Amino acid sequence: MKYYSTRDVSRKSFDSAYVIKKGLASDSGLFVPESVPSITKDEILSLCEKTYPERAAYVLSKFLTDYTYDELLSDCTQAYCEDSFPGGAAPLNKINDNIYSLELWHGPTAAFKDMALQIMPRLLSRALVKTGEENTALILVATSGDTGKAALEGYKDVDRVKIMVFYPVDGVSKVQKLQMATQTGSNVNVCAIKGNFDDAQNGVKKIFADDTAKEKLLEGGYILSSANSINWGRLAPQIVYYISAYCDLLAKGDIKFGDTINVCVPTGNFGNIFAAYIAKLMGLPIEKLICASNANNVLTDFLRTGTYDRNRDFHLTMSPSMDILISSNLERLLFFTAGAEKTAAYMKQLNTDGKYTVDNEIKKLIDKNFIGYFADEVETAATLSEFYNDYGYLADTHTSVALSCAQKYLNDSGDTRKIVVASTASPYKFAADVYKSITSKDASADTGALDDLSILTGTEITYPLRNLAQRKINFDKVIDKDDMLTEVYRFM
Ligand SMILES: *Cc1c(COP(=O)(O)O)cnc(C)c1O
């Protein structure tokens, strides 16, 4: 299986290991597979008998053809082991007759990013060997919370990789800051910067664009790499859990083979829902992909009108991981429906005007598979409370956005197919807003609301978030935003 860039009409192709090492194509396009491999009925049935790591290795082996099945199985077995995902990697939880929650947050940082970031570092480590790379990969991450911690946990103690995370000193939640400051591992470094998230992000971008710095790093035996969500190595592992969820529905006897299901995904960068679309293209019986947004509803408007327009107010919501106005992975969907030439043109327009409108035929193709809904803050809180009170299901704020959108779709369409809702974070990760949605009261500030939520609901705090305050602080450095490169050199 070869890959090429979404913006390259000449279709210069690359192997999967190269694509994982490189991250972004040199024309700034995203890497996509030359074709989508299929999955047959017999294959799906045989996966039903298998464990999650086996399912993952099998599906990944169709896309990462320059990795052997044994390599993938070994990596998946370690990535999705019981220690990292107690009770299983992607359990499917029935909420009511129509709606199932696919819980993707049972990993080491309690958010769905773990599903990709536990496996991708292992794939990168092998990619370095496969591409004959002699240097160590230095991963630089600017984070507003979730990605940084998930990347640290994924890359810690991985061979031939070092990772350095920068976060804005006052721009992450108390829980998130503690999660990063108490990070362990021999190849990790965490630094707070005086500034906001954009300062951290710009600082990292500046280093990536600095040829002198790159030369100096290379002399020291390092190449720069990123853990960004546009890397195919992060997307491919996400295809697996949609197939796995279908197997689990079959195994429970809740559907018969061939029954179609709908999938609803709380969306930010369009990575997770795009993975579901790939699963559908492979042949998994999915009817509609319901794209759920929060008040930053740029995707809802795009799916309804065909116009993507990022010129709008940015809202800070209680589902911060979806507070995004440029959904990078949408470029991959454009490529699949419109081809490289048009995709490059749309992306250019987005860059210059902040908006573009797709042709009518393209919109029709997208409409066949996708439908967009959004939930505002009031609806998100009301849905969270309703699902807790009516079904005893405790969802986080991001998942609640999707639950609200799934219900809107049900009411509008009368479609009775089962809806699998991707549940992307533990309710404890956003405990303060979850607590407030249910009780209409503020939780006590000093505990980060974790204990309040636990007492209120009689549930246990998700394991990675327990005793956070008692853990040893390993990283407490706060630096000036102009000193990021100096700090990188010091870390080498
Ligand atoms: C990253 C994230 C999302 C958005 O996923 P995309 O792949 O960017 O669409 C949703 N919920 C949570 C909790 C996240 O961390």
Side-chain angles (χ1 to χ4, degrees), residues 95-159:
I95 299 182
N96 62 31
D97 283 345
N98 297 106
I99 298 180
Y100 292 74
S101 173
L102 176 59
E103 294 181 350
L104 305 171
W105 45 263
H106 291 275
T109 78
F112 101 100
K113 306 281 192 292
D114 289 331
M115 296 300 296
L117 281 165
Q118 281 298 301
I119 179 81
M120 160 143 159
R122 299 167 208 275
L123 301 176
L124 173 65
S125 184
R126 288 193 195 278
L128 294 175
V129 178
K130 287 178 192 294
T131 58
E133 182 63 59
E134 283 164 359
N135 298 293
T136 297
L138 176 61
I139 315 270
L140 296 184
V141 183
T143 183
S144 55
D146 283 351
T147 301
K149 178 62 184 179
L152 284 164
E153 275 301 313
Y155 284 97
K156 78 169 182 203
D157 299 326
V158 170
D159 261 5

Side-chain angles (χ1 to χ4, degrees), residues 256-330:
K256 303 185 303 304
F257 193 89
D259 285 353
T260 46
I261 59 168
N262 296 316
V263 168
C264 179
V265 185
T267 298
N269 228 347
F270 209 77
N272 203 3
I273 195 167
F274 185 76
Y277 174 63
I278 296 277
K280 175 172 179 172
L281 292 181
M282 290 177 80
L284 192 72
I286 296 176
E287 184 63 27
K288 274 278 185 253
L289 299 153
I290 304 162
C291 177
S293 300
N294 64 22
N296 296 295
N297 56 358
V298 59
L299 283 167
T300 321
D301 289 347
F302 170 69
L303 292 171
R304 306 222 151 182
T305 65
T307 297
Y308 193 96
D309 187 356
R310 61 162 296 205
N311 304 305
R312 57 178 71 212
D313 289 339
F314 177 76
H315 302 281
L316 284 172
T317 72
M318 62 173 125
S319 46
S321 302
M322 298 159 69
D323 291 344
I324 286 179
L325 290 183
I326 298 194
S327 297
S328 316
N329 276 297
L330 187 63

